[in-house]
Amino acid sequence: MSEGFKTPKPDVAPSLLTHGEANLRDEARDAAARLLAPDADGRNERGGFPNDAVDALGRMGFMGLLVPSAFGGRGCGILGYSLALEEIAAVDAGVSTTMHVHSLGATLMLARFGTEAQKARYLPEMAAGRTIGSFVLTEPQAGSDAAAIRTVARRDGDDFVITGSKHLITNGKTAGVVLVWALTDPALGREGITAFIVPTDTPGYDGSHVDAKMGQHSSETVRVELNECRVPAANILGVEGRGFRHAMSGLADGRIAIAAQAVGIAQAAYAAALDYARSREAYGAPIIKLQAIQFRLADMATQIEIARNFYISTAAQRQAGHDCIREASMAKLFASEMAEKVCSDALQIFGGNGYLREYRVERYCRDVRVTQIYEGTSDIQRLIIGRDIARSPLSGE
């Protein structure tokens, strides 16, 4: 490839980060450059689960960022985690998604709602990246409307028998343990949804159908079939009938993290475009001398900084104990839509070369698109923000 990860990234104002958070960001940046960048293009060409990348990140503790230190993790808050995720995403978006679903979708849910026995059994291996986790909620007819799931968990003595179909499941084939949401009382709707811890070697679990995707080829996305998977009642995560509430409790965290991921991809596209503009000549000089290119780069850099500082501010509020529902939706909405525009503008700076697989910028355009879809689509974010404005206008009236 003719361009690399060379352009230094601007530092966030020191007052916004603790010393530990700044160090974690720098550590993640270094790890991404040393361990992920050399084979980022190869992973995306091969597709499938990024085993080598996950092993490397696991050895450095990045697969256990949200796991309490008592169970072998690093006990980070959502701000430190998001800073690290941004750096990973800037080098390989698919690997960052793999890490994110394992971390926030599985380990954080276990840390928040698991019993001490459940946490002791699963979290140490997950923190080390030796056991991968997954969040198994979405169904063909239940994406944004998560309460519409049809998977059923039928009580049978001391066990539950789970049957249903899930799709768009990250890590669903490779994971060693997954969290499955199912109806234990269909008559109660969302109040009848329960979360279960399901080891993937449980008979009846099938995550073998891997989906072909537009982007993020270094992340594994599969359909999961649950054909009378029998798990003990002791595998209930949290409280029976509270599964929907448990799942929704992590939405703000997830949306902040996806905002960070989008910023990371946008930063990579901007850096590639800046390097290219400095080296590409037209009309007898580097194209960065052209005002049209300067204006485009100025807009890109400005939008990235706005999105970065907003997700950092929201994460800090979240860590301070605020629910941040509206702010998290705003952060994700702005960052994801900004990132697609930045990636498109980066490709435009490359001209015809940007459309070639030889140059990495076309991958950024493909990888970034899904950030407007998962963890709640842009339309869902606007709905959440709009409803909150209607209840409590920004003017304070």
Side-chain angles (χ1 to χ4, degrees):
M1 294 294 173
S2 56
E3 97 270 11
F5 304 94
K6 296 176 289 187
T7 304
K9 298 174 186 175
D11 284 334
V12 175
S15 61
L16 296 178
L17 306 179
T18 66
H19 182 69
E21 288 162 348
N23 283 345
L24 177 60
R25 176 205 59 195
D26 294 344
E27 183 185 350
R29 185 179 299 176
D30 176 69
R34 287 189 302 104
L35 303 175
L36 303 184
D39 193 34
D41 296 311
R43 279 190 300 274
N44 278 274
E45 287 294 328
R46 294 189 300 272
F49 189 83
N51 287 291
D52 292 348
V54 168
D55 288 345
L57 292 175
R59 288 193 297 272
M60 295 191 68
F62 286 102
M63 300 302 284
L65 291 178
L66 296 174
V67 175
S69 57
F71 298 99
R74 298 179 67 164
C76 294
I78 188 60
L79 177 51
Y81 170 77
S82 297
L83 291 165
L85 194 72
E86 178 191 337
E87 299 299 332
I88 302 299
V91 173
D92 193 323
V95 170
S96 73
T97 293
T98 299
M99 170 181 149
H100 174 62
V101 172
H102 164 84
S103 299
L104 201 146
T107 67
L108 185 61
M109 287 286 111
L110 276 163
R112 280 182 175 168
F113 302 110
T115 65
E116 290 303 306
Q118 289 170 343
K119 289 186 282 191
R121 178 177 177 183
Y122 296 109
L123 286 180
E125 288 295 298
M126 296 176 79
R130 291 187 291 267
T131 297
I132 301 302
S134 182
F135 184 91
V136 184
L137 174 62
T138 303
E139 298 184 5
Q141 79 294 333
S144 296
D145 184 9
I149 66 170
R150 297 174 183 168
T151 297
V152 172
R154 173 177 52 85
R155 186 85 189 219
D156 185 15
D158 293 332
D159 298 333
F160 281 87
V161 180
I162 307 173
T163 299
S165 298
K166 305 285 188 176
H167 85 153
L168 299 175
I169 305 301
T170 300
N171 304 341
K173 179 180 179 182
T174 303
V177 61
V178 301
L179 307 183
V180 175
W181 273 256
L183 288 160
T184 46
D185 191 341
L188 294 179
R190 68 177 58 187
E191 297 302 318
I193 295 174
T194 301
F196 294 88
I197 303 169
V198 180
T200 57
D201 59 2
T202 302
Y205 180 92
D206 181 6
S208 62
H209 190 289
V210 180
D211 292 314
K213 299 180 296 184
M214 171 182 171
Q216 297 203 15
H217 294 160
S218 58
S219 170
E220 170 188 279
T221 304
V222 307
R223 302 177 196 176
V224 170
E225 296 295 332
L226 300 146
N227 184 15
E228 297 200 343
C229 287
R230 181 177 291 271
V231 297
N235 281 32
I236 288 176
L237 178 68
V239 178
E240 183 175 349
R242 297 282 184 90
F244 184 79
R245 298 184 192 183
H246 297 337
M248 296 302 103
S249 72
L251 283 181
D253 303 297
R255 288 164 181 167
I256 293 166
I258 296 304
Q261 182 189 53
V263 168
I265 302 170
Q267 179 70 48
Y270 166 76
L274 179 57
D275 286 341
Y276 187 80
R278 286 169 170 164
S279 61
R280 173 71 170 177
E281 291 193 359
Y283 311 108
I287 63 173
I288 199 168
K289 300 291 186 180
L290 300 173
Q291 190 178 68
I293 300 297
Q294 293 176 10
F295 280 11
R296 182 169 273 128
L297 289 167
D299 286 344
M300 293 161 71
T302 300
Q303 295 293 299
I304 290 169
E305 282 305 297
I306 291 169
R308 176 180 287 120
N309 282 282
F310 188 46
Y311 94 66
I312 287 173
S313 172
T314 303
Q317 293 179 59
R318 180 72 172 146
Q319 284 187 176
H322 303 288
D323 60 20
C324 295
I325 299 301
R326 179 167 71 181
E327 294 84 355
S329 288
M330 287 177 167
K332 181 186 183 294
L333 174 65
F334 182 81
S336 62
E337 298 200 343
M338 171 280 299
E340 184 176 25
K341 177 65 164 57
V342 165
C343 290
S344 178
D345 284 347
L347 191 150
Q348 194 70 24
I349 288 172
F350 274 77
N353 285 336
Y355 204 65
L356 302 178
R357 295 289 291 275
E358 179 183 353
Y359 293 85
R360 193 173 288 118
V361 69
E362 64 85 28
R363 169 159 66 84
Y364 299 143
C365 289
R366 290 185 288 105
D367 286 351
V368 77
R369 185 61 181 85
V370 74
T371 63
Q372 295 180 52
I373 298 172
Y374 53 25
E375 296 279 4
T377 65
S378 289
D379 289 336
I380 291 294
Q381 306 313 320
R382 288 186 170 92
L383 182 64
I384 292 167
I385 297 164
R387 285 177 174 172
D388 194 66
I389 289 171
R391 286 193 297 265
S392 178
L394 291 174
S395 64
E397 296 174 2

